[in-house]
Amino acid sequence: MFMEESQKERLRKQFEFIQEIDKEKFIGRQTYLSDGIRKENDSEHAWHLALMTILLSEYANEPIDVLKTVTMVLIHDLVEIDAGDTYAYDEEGLKTQKAREEAAADRIFGLLPEEQRDRLRGLFFEFEEGKSAEARFAHTMDNIQPAMLNHATDGKAWVEHGVHLSQILKRNVNTKDGSKALWDYSFENFIKPNVDKGKILDSDNN
């Protein structure tokens, strides 16, 4: 099949992006897999969030576009190819995270053809802003998944980092905005049991 030069260039850009995002598989996170032996990487995290979105979208506080939300969670950590993973409770790293990730978004999404660049870059910043129904639910997924895995590993990462309940509650202050039902479930089933067992430090009792 004959392909015009413009089509060839479009396809070249698309495959350049596709190859580049393979690097997401090398970006390690601080959350252990459910067996507690090794930590997950960004691509495993994104895959998990995508399936969670499909399965749990019925619990969103308001109707969402599931495909749009799935796309958000699949791309939201691509910027870490350049910016690296910033641990949720790394106060120093969080100070520069926004600037590092914005520069990475410009470079990585800039590899794509113009309209795809603008669409994916737009979805990334929509996720970061957290104001749309889809972005709010995507953030709920992003916060609940590590809580679930931390609970599955008997609070291993929480213990290693000496995490306090106040830190978790601060990070999750907006989690209920995407799904109150899922936040309530996460708190009662993943977080509170680890407070009770001393895996999460409770400032009121420590």
Side-chain angles (χ1 to χ4, degrees):
M1 177 181 175
F2 175 75
M3 186 177 291
E4 294 181 359
E5 287 302 315
S6 60
Q7 291 175 309
K8 288 180 182 179
E9 177 61 12
R10 177 181 178 82
L11 192 56
R12 184 197 66 76
K13 288 181 177 180
Q14 289 168 326
F15 270 107
E16 183 179 6
F17 174 81
I18 290 166
Q19 180 173 319
E20 181 68 10
I21 64 173
D22 182 70
K23 294 176 182 176
E24 188 181 40
K25 298 172 186 176
F26 302 110
I27 307 300
R29 292 170 50 80
Q30 292 300 314
T31 306
Y32 285 93
L33 298 176
S34 56
D35 63 2
I37 296 173
R38 74 165 175 89
K39 296 174 181 178
E40 68 176 355
N41 62 50
D42 270 355
S43 63
E44 291 168 329
H45 173 66
W47 160 83
H48 217 174
L49 297 188
L51 276 178
M52 286 173 63
T53 299
I54 293 167
L55 294 172
L56 301 176
S57 59
E58 63 190 272
Y59 301 103
N61 288 344
E62 53 195 313
I64 60 170
D65 180 328
V66 174
L67 178 58
K68 178 181 177 182
T69 312
V70 166
T71 305
M72 273 188 189
V73 299
L74 285 173
I75 69 168
H76 81 289
D77 278 341
L78 290 180
V79 293
E80 293 185 359
I81 291 169
D82 287 358
D85 175 61
T86 303
Y87 183 51
Y89 307 113
D90 175 6
E91 295 300 327
E92 285 304 310
L94 292 171
K95 292 177 182 178
T96 61
Q97 181 181 16
K98 186 174 186 291
R100 286 184 284 114
E101 292 188 349
E102 286 182 358
D106 289 341
R107 186 193 75 80
I108 295 167
F109 296 122
L111 298 173
L112 284 164
E114 186 174 349
E115 88 285 356
Q116 290 184 328
R117 174 201 69 197
D118 292 346
R119 176 172 175 267
L120 294 192
R121 187 178 179 280
L123 285 175
F124 169 78
F125 282 105
E126 183 177 333
F127 171 85
E128 289 296 301
E129 192 174 42
K131 292 184 178 179
S132 68
E134 289 79 13
R136 287 193 291 269
F137 192 77
H139 277 283
T140 299
M141 298 294 94
D142 195 29
N143 290 339
I144 285 177
Q145 186 258 6
M148 177 190 69
L149 289 180
N150 277 322
H151 174 66
T153 58
D154 200 29
K156 187 171 182 177
W158 283 326
V159 171
E160 287 182 355
H161 291 278
V163 174
H164 285 252
L165 177 61
S166 59
Q167 293 175 288
I168 294 174
L169 294 179
K170 180 180 178 182
R171 174 169 173 75
N172 283 277
V173 67
N174 296 319
T175 302
K176 67 182 184 303
D177 296 345
S179 172
K180 186 177 185 302
L182 294 178
W183 162 244
D184 289 346
Y185 186 90
S186 177
F187 183 80
E188 290 299 324
N189 292 275
F190 305 146
I191 298 169
K192 188 175 183 298
N194 285 278
V195 174
D196 294 341
K197 291 188 293 184
K199 305 296 183 177
I200 297 169
L201 302 176
D202 187 348
S203 299
D204 294 332
N205 297 318
N206 289 278

